[in-house]
Amino acid sequence: MTLPRHVTHLVVGAGFAGVGTAIKLAEDGETDVAVIEQGSDVGGTWRDNTYPGACCDIPSQLYSFSFAPNPEWSSSYSPQPEIQAYVQKVARDAGILDRCHFQTPMTDARWDDDAQLWRVRTPSGELTATTLTSCTGGLSAPKLPDIEGIDSFAGALFHSARWDHDADLEGKRIAVIGTGASAIQIVPEMAKVAGHLDVYQRSAPWVIPRNDRVYSRPERWALRHLPALGKLYRTGIYWAHEGYVPAFTWQPRLAAPAEKAALANLHKGIKDPALRAKVTPHFRLGCKRVLRSNTYYPALAADVTDLVTEPIAKITAHAIVTTDGVEHPVDVIVVATGFHTTDLPIASRIVGRDGRSLSQVWDETGMAAYKGTTVHGFPNLFLMVGPNTGQGHTSMIFVIESQIAYLRDAIRTMRARGVAELEPRADAQRRWNSDLQKRMRRTVWSTGGCSSWYLDDHGRNTTLWPKATFTFRRLLASFDPEAYDVRPARAAGSDAVEGVPA
Ligand code: NAP
C-alpha cells in the first residue's frame, strides 16, 4: 500500500493506543487517517513480547478496550497470544487495517511552521500531516545492559522482548539477567526446560500471588449474553486495583497488608531460609512495579535453579563472571533488563517549531508534557502514553482511552473554530508539571527506598501518574483551549485540518 502524500491525521504505532486512536477518529468521521507501524502487524508490545510465559499481570476484563469487551478470555490473566489476537480482531472488525502501513517506521517528523503541518519521512516515502499522534509506547525500545564483553558471548543471547524462538533451550545452561515483570514470567518456564538455570538478581522484587482462574463455560456464556454483567465485573476489577492508589501516592504504610501477603507468598514458595533472605525485598512495596506470580518462587527454589546475587563483572565467550571471580558457564543468556523509558528513541525523531527535537528539549527539562499529551513547542503533536501517564497498579488501556477522548475533543475544537494549530502554552505546561512533581514527593516511588525505571537520571519521576486514574480521566475529559495558543491558518490553502475554513 503506498503512502498518501498528505493526511489530516497521522498515527505512529499500531499497538493498543494506535489502534484505539484510529478507531475513535473514524467514529468521529475523521476518515483521512493513516497509521504507520514499524512492525508487520498490529499489537505493539503484545506483538513483540513473545517470550515463554508472557502474560498480562492486569486482569483481561480491565486490560481491554471498554468499547470492545471480549467475553472469550480464557482466564482472568490472559496469555500474550490471546491479547495479540484480541488487538488484531478489534482492528479488523473496526475496519482500520486498510489504514495501516506496516514496516514503515517514522524516520523523523519536523514541524513546518510556514505550512503549519508535520513533514514526516519514512523509508517508504515522505508525507505531510496536520496532526501527529505518537502511539509508540513507553516500553517498546529494549534496553541491553552495559556489561563488559557482552558482544563476545558465543552462545545465543537475546532480550526478553526479542525472543529467539530458534534458540535450543532443552537441557541447556540458561542464564536470566534481571528479576522484573518480564523475568518473573520467564524464569518458571526456563526452569522447566533448562539443564541448569542461573537467575541474576540485582534487587529482589515484591511478588504477590496471582490469583489466576480459568473461566468456566457458564461464566463465559454469562459474559457473552449478559453484557451488563461484564461491565459490572470490569468495574469491580477497576475499583479493586484503584485501591492501591492511596498507598502508592499518599501513605506508603498503607501497603503493609499487601507486603504481608507478599511475604506469605514468599514463605510458601521458598523453604530454604538462606534463599528466602536473598529474595526478601529491601524497599517498600510499590516503589518498583509489584509483580504477580504463583510460580516464580517455586522456580527459584527448584533444584535446577541458582539465584546469583553477586553482581556481574563481565561476560566471556562461554560464561558469566561475577565480581567474586566465579565463572558461571552458560549456553543461552536471556536479557530481561527492561526498556528505554525516560530516554524514548522516538523523542529524538520529532523536531518542533524551533528546530529542536523532543529529546533535546527533554534533556534540559526531563520528560514533560501538558496533561501527558501535548508539548509546548510542538504544535498539533499528541503523545499517547506520554510523560507521567504510566501506572504501576492498573490498566494502561484506561489511560489510553482517557487520552483518546482528549485528542478527539481537541480535533472537534479545531474543526469548530477553524483552527490550524494548537500548542499548549508554556505556563500551562509548567504549572501542570510543577503540581505533578510536588505530588510526587510523597509517593512511594520517591520515598520507598529503591531506584526504578520510573525515575530519570536526575531522580525525577517523569513516567508515572501520581493520583487516581479517575482524576486523570476527569482532567482529560474535555479539551481546554484556554491552556493553548490556538492559531488560524496563516495562508489560504494551508488549512491543514481538511474542511476547516481558513
Ligand atoms: P524492568 O522492570 O525494568 O526489570 C529489569 C530487571 O533487570 C530488573 O530486575 C533490573 O534490576 C535488572 N537489570 C537491569 N539492568 C541490569 C544490569 N545491568 N545487570 C543486572 N540486572 C539488571 O523490565 P521488565 O521486566 O521488562 O518490565 C518492564 C515493564 O514492562 C514492567 O515494569 C511493566 O510495566 C511492563 N511489563 C508488564 C507485564 C505485564 O504482565 N503487564 C509483563 C512484563 C513487563 P533492578 O531491579 O535492580 O533495577
Side-chain angles (χ1 to χ4, degrees):
M1 198 166 41
T2 47
L3 275 179
R5 286 183 48 226
H6 176 80
V7 281
T8 308
H9 306 295
L10 182 64
V11 176
V12 185
F16 264 98
V19 166
T21 299
I23 291 174
K24 289 293 159 184
L25 288 181
E27 274 181 28
D28 287 350
E30 297 288 343
T31 47
D32 190 25
V33 176
V35 181
I36 56 173
E37 161 58 53
Q38 64 180 359
S40 52
D41 198 355
V42 297
T45 192
W46 295 103
R47 177 200 60 219
D48 292 342
N49 280 273
T50 59
Y51 58 76
C55 178
C56 188
D57 59 10
I58 299 293
S60 307
Q61 301 293 341
L62 186 62
Y63 197 90
S64 46
F65 289 119
S66 62
F67 57 84
N70 176 20
E72 308 305 332
W73 296 119
S74 61
S75 56
S76 39
Y77 295 91
S78 296
Q80 173 269 338
E82 269 186 54
I83 302 171
Q84 173 61 5
Y86 168 78
V87 184
Q88 286 169 328
K89 181 174 186 310
V90 170
R92 199 170 48 242
D93 290 354
I96 61 131
L97 287 177
D98 58 0
R99 303 212 170 117
C100 295
H101 300 261
F102 294 112
Q103 288 169 325
T104 308
M106 185 178 81
T107 314
D108 60 20
R110 289 177 175 271
W111 175 253
D112 180 333
D113 215 24
D114 296 325
Q116 293 177 293
L117 44 72
W118 286 97
R119 297 198 178 278
V120 178
R121 293 192 300 175
T122 80
S124 326
E126 299 181 9
L127 73 165
T128 56
T130 307
T131 73
L132 179 67
T133 302
S134 171
C135 299
T136 51
L139 298 168
S140 55
K143 191 172 184 176
L144 288 170
D146 187 15
I147 298 174
E148 185 192 327
I150 190 165
D151 294 329
S152 65
F153 185 62
L157 181 150
F158 46 88
H159 190 272
S160 52
R162 299 287 181 272
W163 195 267
D164 178 356
H165 290 279
D166 293 331
D168 182 13
L169 304 172
E170 201 64 47
K172 299 287 188 238
R173 293 168 301 188
I174 302 174
V176 176
I177 303 179
T179 53
S182 303
I184 66 134
Q185 296 182 342
I186 293 167
V187 165
E189 299 304 312
M190 294 303 98
K192 288 178 194 164
V193 295
H196 180 78
L197 174 64
D198 282 327
V199 178
Y200 289 84
Q201 172 188 283
R202 201 163 60 173
S203 49
W206 283 101
V207 185
I208 60 174
R210 188 175 83 180
N211 300 316
D212 201 0
R213 213 167 54 73
V214 172
Y215 290 128
S216 65
R217 282 174 65 169
E219 278 174 308
R220 300 239 292 264
W221 182 92
L223 289 168
R224 210 174 296 137
H225 297 285
L226 304 169
L229 184 72
K231 253 190 188 160
L232 195 67
Y233 188 19
R234 180 182 166 101
T235 306
I237 296 170
Y238 170 79
W239 285 108
H241 280 72
E242 214 58 9
Y244 277 105
V245 171
F248 286 3
T249 66
W250 172 58
Q251 190 45 268
R253 271 181 309 174
L254 294 173
E259 288 176 350
K260 233 172 149 183
L263 290 176
N265 189 37
L266 165 55
H267 278 241
K268 191 169 150 213
I270 295 180
K271 302 294 171 212
D272 171 14
L275 183 57
R276 259 185 205 166
K278 280 184 176 180
V279 295
T280 301
H282 294 294
F283 51 87
R284 275 240 98 122
L285 181 138
C287 187
K288 291 177 199 255
R289 189 180 177 89
V290 181
L291 311 181
R292 289 171 195 266
S293 177
N294 302 332
T295 52
Y296 177 62
Y297 287 139
L300 285 185
D303 289 343
V304 75
T305 310
D306 276 338
L307 181 75
V308 184
T309 52
E310 207 61 44
I312 298 172
K314 61 178 179 180
I315 295 177
T316 64
H318 301 287
I320 293 178
V321 182
T322 40
T323 50
D324 53 1
V326 176
E327 256 194 35
H328 306 263
V330 61
D331 304 310
V332 179
I333 301 179
V334 177
V335 181
T337 47
F339 299 87
H340 290 275
T341 53
T342 55
D343 54 343
L344 302 175
I346 191 78
S348 60
R349 295 188 227 137
I350 299 178
V351 177
R353 199 158 37 83
D354 69 357
R356 289 191 305 160
S357 67
L358 256 185
S359 57
Q360 283 170 322
V361 173
W362 285 349
D363 278 350
E364 284 170 21
T365 62
M367 281 202 311
Y370 177 63
K371 297 199 167 179
T373 310
T374 53
V375 186
H376 177 68
F378 296 79
N380 294 4
L381 172 69
F382 298 87
L383 303 175
M384 292 294 151
V385 192
N388 291 111
T389 60
Q391 302 298 324
H393 70 287
T394 192
S395 170
M396 278 310 290
I397 316 304
F398 185 89
V399 171
I400 288 168
E401 287 194 47
S402 308
Q403 290 191 282
I404 292 174
Y406 189 71
L407 166 71
R408 293 169 80 181
D409 207 35
I411 290 170
R412 279 186 215 119
T413 304
M414 290 176 92
R415 288 208 176 275
R417 298 191 179 190
V419 167
E421 229 182 281
L422 296 172
E423 180 185 347
R425 288 204 325 270
D427 60 320
Q429 185 171 316
R430 225 178 359 253
R431 260 199 311 280
W432 174 266
N433 285 290
S434 81
D435 174 52
L436 280 188
Q437 292 306 325
K438 224 180 280 163
R439 291 289 300 236
M440 213 53 96
R441 283 187 216 137
R442 59 195 302 180
T443 65
V444 69
W445 313 308
S446 303
T447 64
C450 78
S451 69
S452 71
W453 66 255
Y454 301 156
L455 311 179
D456 67 13
D457 290 345
H458 309 290
R460 263 167 61 108
N461 188 328
T462 56
T463 55
L464 294 194
W465 172 247
K467 303 178 193 179
T469 56
F470 55 81
T471 305
F472 186 78
R473 177 151 289 192
R474 180 174 52 75
L475 290 168
L476 274 79
S478 54
F479 185 67
D480 42 355
E482 63 282 1
Y484 284 77
D485 283 329
V486 171
R487 304 181 193 108
R490 286 207 189 97
S494 69
D495 56 331
V497 178
E498 229 162 72
V500 169

